[in-house]
Amino acid sequence: MSPSRNRSKADPASAHMPAISVRDLTIGYGSRVLLEEASFDVHRGEILVILGESGCGKSSLMKNMIGLYRPMRGDVLIDGESIVDADPADKARLQRGLGITYQSGALFGSLTVLENVRFPLDKFTSIGLAQKNLIVRILLRLVEMSEAESVMPGELSGGMVKRAGIARAMALGANILMLDEPSAGLDPIMAANLDRTILGLREHLGFTFVVVTHELQSVFNIADRAVMMDADTRRIIAEDTPSALRDQSTNPRVRQFFNRRADATAA
């Protein structure tokens, strides 16, 4: 069991604290602002999806949330602690509680699946090889990849690469998983299998997920809530369940997105 899960059990008050709080966050590069004054919470055990049109800054928002980038203004709290203002040691500790996967899967091509998933354990722990391999095999079973431990990444399907990436993200005991475009490039069956894996990890292990995506079918399959960014206004323009945003939003841009309607002026 991870230290962060132990901390939650030891402190009942922490169970009522959001897993992540984004507070008045403004992000961008140089003088270019992508998102202004964003505030929202990620509740424990929920699957929150961040979505919006291409180029609106979804992945950049995630990178600010995990402390890879420093925001222009505002704060991000992980279990009540600022990751923005944390010193290097505290930031590293907070980041250990966040499991991160990227769109490509980011597996090392020269390592087997088992070695890829074991890599964080090799780098950051001193436990024995047999114990590390046991942990990895448990993780691979959780993501339905027990038979693939000796396979090289180049031999995997796209969906298997994504699931191996999720297993590696869990290796150090993270209880918050941040997934960047997990369904990108997958056919409908692979995407559905990945959705099932995400839902199973939440149901059986209580993981909290933040998922960046624009794949509407996956949004409706997995999301408890969705936060929608807008490139034109540089704001979060909607936050609710996917079905409520599709059927009840008063914002025409939100309704258009969730109902997959073309622009009226499109050729």
Side-chain angles (χ1 to χ4, degrees):
M1 184 174 292
S2 72
S4 52
R5 289 184 192 136
N6 283 331
R7 186 169 64 248
S8 294
K9 288 190 175 182
D11 179 8
S14 70
H16 303 289
M17 183 185 300
I20 303 175
S21 292
V22 174
R23 291 288 171 262
D24 300 317
L25 200 71
T26 296
I27 65 172
Y29 307 98
S31 60
R32 183 188 177 201
V33 176
L34 295 173
L35 179 66
E36 293 185 281
E37 299 179 359
S39 294
F40 59 90
D41 290 332
V42 183
H43 305 303
R44 296 182 193 281
E46 82 165 336
I47 300 173
L48 178 80
V49 166
I50 298 171
L51 47 76
E53 67 265 42
S54 297
C56 69
K58 300 184 296 294
S59 294
S60 295
L61 173 58
M62 176 175 282
K63 289 172 182 176
N64 277 266
M65 290 171 68
I66 64 180
L68 288 184
Y69 296 161
R70 185 173 182 87
M72 294 174 166
R73 291 183 296 279
D75 204 358
V76 178
L77 307 179
I78 309 296
D79 289 333
E81 295 184 61
S82 173
I83 198 169
V84 174
D85 295 325
D87 63 33
D90 283 337
K91 177 178 282 191
R93 173 177 53 81
L94 292 171
Q95 289 173 329
R96 296 282 180 87
L98 306 173
I100 303 154
T101 71
Y102 297 102
Q103 183 172 337
S104 66
L107 300 183
F108 299 107
S110 60
L111 302 180
T112 66
V113 167
L114 184 144
E115 291 166 338
N116 264 285
V117 177
R118 197 181 67 206
F119 181 82
L121 295 168
D122 291 337
K123 185 172 179 63
F124 295 109
T125 76
S126 58
I127 61 179
L129 180 62
Q131 186 176 358
K132 286 188 286 191
N133 285 343
L134 175 61
I135 292 169
V136 169
R137 290 183 174 114
I138 291 170
L139 294 174
L140 289 175
R141 186 166 69 245
L142 288 171
V143 297
E144 304 175 73
M145 288 191 62
S146 294
E147 305 303 317
E149 66 175 62
S150 61
V151 176
M152 304 301 289
E155 303 172 67
L156 298 176
S157 68
M160 294 176 77
V161 168
K162 301 296 179 71
R163 281 187 275 141
I166 291 174
R168 186 173 63 185
M170 295 189 291
L172 292 177
N175 57 12
I176 302 171
L177 297 182
M178 317 281 286
L179 313 183
D180 190 5
E181 298 283 5
S183 298
L186 302 185
D187 66 41
I189 294 174
M190 288 182 180
N193 288 340
L194 186 61
D195 290 344
R196 181 184 65 193
T197 297
I198 292 169
L199 289 169
L201 290 172
R202 192 270 295 275
E203 178 182 356
H204 299 301
L205 296 175
F207 281 105
T208 301
F209 284 89
V210 178
V211 182
V212 167
T213 187
H214 59 267
E215 302 284 345
L216 280 178
Q217 187 60 57
S218 286
V219 172
F220 283 102
N221 284 346
I222 68 173
D224 297 304
R225 286 188 303 132
V227 169
M228 183 171 174
M229 300 171 60
D230 179 63
D232 292 335
T233 63
R234 299 180 297 191
R235 301 277 176 165
I236 288 176
I237 58 172
E239 178 183 345
D240 210 328
T241 66
S243 59
L245 295 178
R246 179 191 62 201
D247 301 332
Q248 301 169 20
S249 176
T250 59
N251 186 312
R253 186 64 174 160
V254 175
R255 293 285 292 271
Q256 179 188 22
F257 186 96
F258 274 89
N259 288 280
R260 203 171 179 268
R261 296 174 184 155
D263 288 327
T265 57

